[in-house]
Amino acid sequence: MYGRLHHAARRGRPGWRLIIGGMALVVAGCSAIGPTTPDGSVGPTGSTAAPSVDATPIADASMAVPGITPDPGRSLDPNWEGTSIQFDPANFVDPTLDTNPFHPLKPGLQWVRAGTTEVGSRVVPHEIITTMTDVIRVIDGVKTIAMLDESTDSGEVSQVGMDYMALDKDGNVWILGGYTEDYQGGAYTNTDSAYLGSETGGVLGILSPAHVDANTPRWLIGKAPEEKASVGTPVEIGGTYCVAFACFKGVRVVQEGNVGAPDNENKYYAPGVGVINNIPLDASLHQDTFQLTNFLALSPDGIAEASRTVQDLEAHARLVAADVFGSAPPSTRRK
């Protein structure tokens, strides 16, 4: 449903340029957001070295988590689609208000995450870069903001796309649509997913709830057309974890996967930052691993370039996914 982060992506170095399927992707003007200090605050801008603090080892995914007692009923049924909240357009607000600390939506934020993935029988380097653009699209009567994703395997572009994120009054972050393209040898090969809300066959759900505790039941993340529904289940709440970029307190660990095989991956969400780590589980197809290696704030020029890339992708979608994007009104940039 959503790309390879939730997947994620975009490189933010001054003057960096990547040619994909005839489109020039450029991001310029960014600054690093400093790592957290032991008290959980953000360090100096431009600092990338993790502070010297004791790291809490990431628990083996098979270990039981103290304080969480599994429900012997529905929560253990792999085919349960989880709880859901009724979708009501009147319950949504401007997504750029950015009120969910576990999934920031502020335009210009950019995450670089790196690890490995399996391509055939080979384990290769894998980088995922995500940018919050300022592209706004109304879906099912709700204003959404486009999150641009790009993935590279062994330094070669493998996937490019975007998810359209919405924010409700309670601070829950929803996915209302998406579009993802696959690439090989630097060239477009096929469209992996394309939908815009319920009118094009999507089932709408919450990617990142505002509040999760040990007793929160499995929830519905959503469903793209012709795909199985995705679900999330809390694994650990409030832990301290260190990754390549920094150490973080108050981390939320969520198991995410598809109905029927919900044990795809454990994602580690840090407050104020979002996903900092991904641990593949038994159902993971490519055994993707990645950790946060940089967290950036783009300049206005950088935001503009990322947003133009989204609009270029939408233009291509109108050609290759005309049944979804062909009649959809054009998106706009936030003024």
Side-chain angles (χ1 to χ4, degrees), residues 245-259:
F245 180 68
C247 294
F248 301 91
K249 287 186 174 183
V251 174
R252 171 193 296 178
V253 184
V254 177
Q255 182 185 101
E256 297 179 7
N258 291 332
V259 169

PDB file of all heavy atoms in Angstrom, residues 245-259:
ATOM      1  N   PHE A 245      21.902   7.891  13.793  1.00  0.00           N
ATOM      2  CA  PHE A 245      21.839   9.343  13.882  1.00  0.00           C
ATOM      3  C   PHE A 245      21.909   9.855  15.309  1.00  0.00           C
ATOM      4  O   PHE A 245      22.566  10.856  15.589  1.00  0.00           O
ATOM      5  CB  PHE A 245      20.545   9.830  13.227  1.00  0.00           C
ATOM      6  CG  PHE A 245      20.357  11.326  13.260  1.00  0.00           C
ATOM      7  CD1 PHE A 245      21.182  12.158  12.524  1.00  0.00           C
ATOM      8  CD2 PHE A 245      19.346  11.900  14.018  1.00  0.00           C
ATOM      9  CE1 PHE A 245      21.013  13.535  12.546  1.00  0.00           C
ATOM     10  CE2 PHE A 245      19.157  13.273  14.053  1.00  0.00           C
ATOM     11  CZ  PHE A 245      20.002  14.093  13.306  1.00  0.00           C
ATOM     12  N   ALA A 246      21.206   9.199  16.232  1.00  0.00           N
ATOM     13  CA  ALA A 246      21.102   9.717  17.593  1.00  0.00           C
ATOM     14  C   ALA A 246      20.412   8.701  18.488  1.00  0.00           C
ATOM     15  O   ALA A 246      20.004   7.627  18.042  1.00  0.00           O
ATOM     16  CB  ALA A 246      20.322  11.032  17.602  1.00  0.00           C
ATOM     17  N   CYS A 247      20.250   9.083  19.751  1.00  0.00           N
ATOM     18  CA  CYS A 247      19.505   8.291  20.721  1.00  0.00           C
ATOM     19  C   CYS A 247      18.198   9.008  21.039  1.00  0.00           C
ATOM     20  O   CYS A 247      18.147  10.241  21.084  1.00  0.00           O
ATOM     21  CB  CYS A 247      20.315   8.107  22.008  1.00  0.00           C
ATOM     22  SG  CYS A 247      21.808   7.111  21.766  1.00  0.00           S
ATOM     23  N   PHE A 248      17.145   8.225  21.286  1.00  0.00           N
ATOM     24  CA  PHE A 248      15.822   8.795  21.464  1.00  0.00           C
ATOM     25  C   PHE A 248      15.105   8.150  22.640  1.00  0.00           C
ATOM     26  O   PHE A 248      15.212   6.940  22.855  1.00  0.00           O
ATOM     27  CB  PHE A 248      14.981   8.599  20.195  1.00  0.00           C
ATOM     28  CG  PHE A 248      15.580   9.228  18.970  1.00  0.00           C
ATOM     29  CD1 PHE A 248      16.436   8.510  18.153  1.00  0.00           C
ATOM     30  CD2 PHE A 248      15.291  10.538  18.642  1.00  0.00           C
ATOM     31  CE1 PHE A 248      16.988   9.085  17.022  1.00  0.00           C
ATOM     32  CE2 PHE A 248      15.836  11.131  17.513  1.00  0.00           C
ATOM     33  CZ  PHE A 248      16.687  10.407  16.697  1.00  0.00           C
ATOM     34  N   LYS A 249      14.350   8.975  23.374  1.00  0.00           N
ATOM     35  CA  LYS A 249      13.508   8.489  24.457  1.00  0.00           C
ATOM     36  C   LYS A 249      12.051   8.467  24.023  1.00  0.00           C
ATOM     37  O   LYS A 249      11.667   9.125  23.053  1.00  0.00           O
ATOM     38  CB  LYS A 249      13.648   9.399  25.683  1.00  0.00           C
ATOM     39  CG  LYS A 249      14.962   9.250  26.430  1.00  0.00           C
ATOM     40  CD  LYS A 249      14.922  10.084  27.710  1.00  0.00           C
ATOM     41  CE  LYS A 249      16.173   9.848  28.552  1.00  0.00           C
ATOM     42  NZ  LYS A 249      16.098  10.594  29.836  1.00  0.00           N
ATOM     43  N   GLY A 250      11.223   7.718  24.772  1.00  0.00           N
ATOM     44  CA  GLY A 250       9.790   7.695  24.518  1.00  0.00           C
ATOM     45  C   GLY A 250       9.419   7.052  23.211  1.00  0.00           C
ATOM     46  O   GLY A 250       8.412   7.412  22.599  1.00  0.00           O
ATOM     47  N   VAL A 251      10.209   6.065  22.760  1.00  0.00           N
ATOM     48  CA  VAL A 251       9.997   5.455  21.450  1.00  0.00           C
ATOM     49  C   VAL A 251       8.805   4.490  21.490  1.00  0.00           C
ATOM     50  O   VAL A 251       8.634   3.717  22.434  1.00  0.00           O
ATOM     51  CB  VAL A 251      11.263   4.719  20.992  1.00  0.00           C
ATOM     52  CG1 VAL A 251      11.014   3.941  19.698  1.00  0.00           C
ATOM     53  CG2 VAL A 251      12.412   5.718  20.804  1.00  0.00           C
ATOM     54  N   ARG A 252       8.003   4.559  20.453  1.00  0.00           N
ATOM     55  CA  ARG A 252       6.860   3.656  20.258  1.00  0.00           C
ATOM     56  C   ARG A 252       7.246   2.612  19.212  1.00  0.00           C
ATOM     57  O   ARG A 252       7.629   2.954  18.095  1.00  0.00           O
ATOM     58  CB  ARG A 252       5.668   4.471  19.776  1.00  0.00           C
ATOM     59  CG  ARG A 252       4.464   3.681  19.324  1.00  0.00           C
ATOM     60  CD  ARG A 252       3.460   4.557  18.574  1.00  0.00           C
ATOM     61  NE  ARG A 252       2.883   5.607  19.416  1.00  0.00           N
ATOM     62  CZ  ARG A 252       2.019   6.517  18.957  1.00  0.00           C
ATOM     63  NH1 ARG A 252       1.683   6.536  17.664  1.00  0.00           N
ATOM     64  NH2 ARG A 252       1.522   7.432  19.773  1.00  0.00           N
ATOM     65  N   VAL A 253       7.147   1.330  19.565  1.00  0.00           N
ATOM     66  CA  VAL A 253       7.446   0.247  18.627  1.00  0.00           C
ATOM     67  C   VAL A 253       6.133  -0.359  18.162  1.00  0.00           C
ATOM     68  O   VAL A 253       5.301  -0.778  18.985  1.00  0.00           O
ATOM     69  CB  VAL A 253       8.331  -0.835  19.265  1.00  0.00           C
ATOM     70  CG1 VAL A 253       8.706  -1.893  18.226  1.00  0.00           C
ATOM     71  CG2 VAL A 253       9.597  -0.223  19.872  1.00  0.00           C
ATOM     72  N   VAL A 254       5.933  -0.399  16.848  1.00  0.00           N
ATOM     73  CA  VAL A 254       4.682  -0.880  16.268  1.00  0.00           C
ATOM     74  C   VAL A 254       4.990  -1.979  15.255  1.00  0.00           C
ATOM     75  O   VAL A 254       5.845  -1.805  14.379  1.00  0.00           O
ATOM     76  CB  VAL A 254       3.912   0.259  15.572  1.00  0.00           C
ATOM     77  CG1 VAL A 254       2.644  -0.272  14.916  1.00  0.00           C
ATOM     78  CG2 VAL A 254       3.578   1.363  16.570  1.00  0.00           C
ATOM     79  N   GLN A 255       4.306  -3.110  15.397  1.00  0.00           N
ATOM     80  CA  GLN A 255       4.391  -4.153  14.381  1.00  0.00           C
ATOM     81  C   GLN A 255       3.405  -3.813  13.270  1.00  0.00           C
ATOM     82  O   GLN A 255       2.218  -3.610  13.517  1.00  0.00           O
ATOM     83  CB  GLN A 255       4.041  -5.515  14.980  1.00  0.00           C
ATOM     84  CG  GLN A 255       4.160  -6.663  13.977  1.00  0.00           C
ATOM     85  CD  GLN A 255       3.687  -7.983  14.556  1.00  0.00           C
ATOM     86  OE1 GLN A 255       2.570  -8.433  14.283  1.00  0.00           O
ATOM     87  NE2 GLN A 255       4.518  -8.592  15.385  1.00  0.00           N
ATOM     88  N   GLU A 256       3.908  -3.722  12.043  1.00  0.00           N
ATOM     89  CA  GLU A 256       3.062  -3.393  10.898  1.00  0.00           C
ATOM     90  C   GLU A 256       3.160  -4.497   9.857  1.00  0.00           C
ATOM     91  O   GLU A 256       4.219  -5.091   9.649  1.00  0.00           O
ATOM     92  CB  GLU A 256       3.483  -2.049  10.290  1.00  0.00           C
ATOM     93  CG  GLU A 256       3.308  -0.872  11.241  1.00  0.00           C
ATOM     94  CD  GLU A 256       3.737   0.455  10.653  1.00  0.00           C
ATOM     95  OE1 GLU A 256       4.050   0.502   9.436  1.00  0.00           O
ATOM     96  OE2 GLU A 256       3.750   1.460  11.389  1.00  0.00           O
ATOM     97  N   GLY A 257       2.044  -4.766   9.208  1.00  0.00           N
ATOM     98  CA  GLY A 257       2.021  -5.795   8.173  1.00  0.00           C
ATOM     99  C   GLY A 257       0.647  -5.924   7.572  1.00  0.00           C
ATOM    100  O   GLY A 257      -0.269  -5.154   7.881  1.00  0.00           O
ATOM    101  N   ASN A 258       0.483  -6.907   6.699  1.00  0.00           N
ATOM    102  CA  ASN A 258      -0.783  -7.129   6.027  1.00  0.00           C
ATOM    103  C   ASN A 258      -1.653  -8.116   6.795  1.00  0.00           C
ATOM    104  O   ASN A 258      -1.145  -8.989   7.507  1.00  0.00           O
ATOM    105  CB  ASN A 258      -0.554  -7.679   4.615  1.00  0.00           C
ATOM    106  CG  ASN A 258       0.065  -6.657   3.687  1.00  0.00           C
ATOM    107  OD1 ASN A 258      -0.123  -5.455   3.869  1.00  0.00           O
ATOM    108  ND2 ASN A 258       0.800  -7.121   2.697  1.00  0.00           N
ATOM    109  N   VAL A 259      -2.951  -7.981   6.646  1.00  0.00           N
ATOM    110  CA  VAL A 259      -3.868  -8.960   7.211  1.00  0.00           C
ATOM    111  C   VAL A 259      -3.525 -10.338   6.649  1.00  0.00           C
ATOM    112  O   VAL A 259      -3.289 -10.489   5.452  1.00  0.00           O
ATOM    113  CB  VAL A 259      -5.326  -8.583   6.889  1.00  0.00           C
ATOM    114  CG1 VAL A 259      -6.278  -9.717   7.233  1.00  0.00           C
ATOM    115  CG2 VAL A 259      -5.715  -7.323   7.633  1.00  0.00           C
TER     116      VAL A 259
END
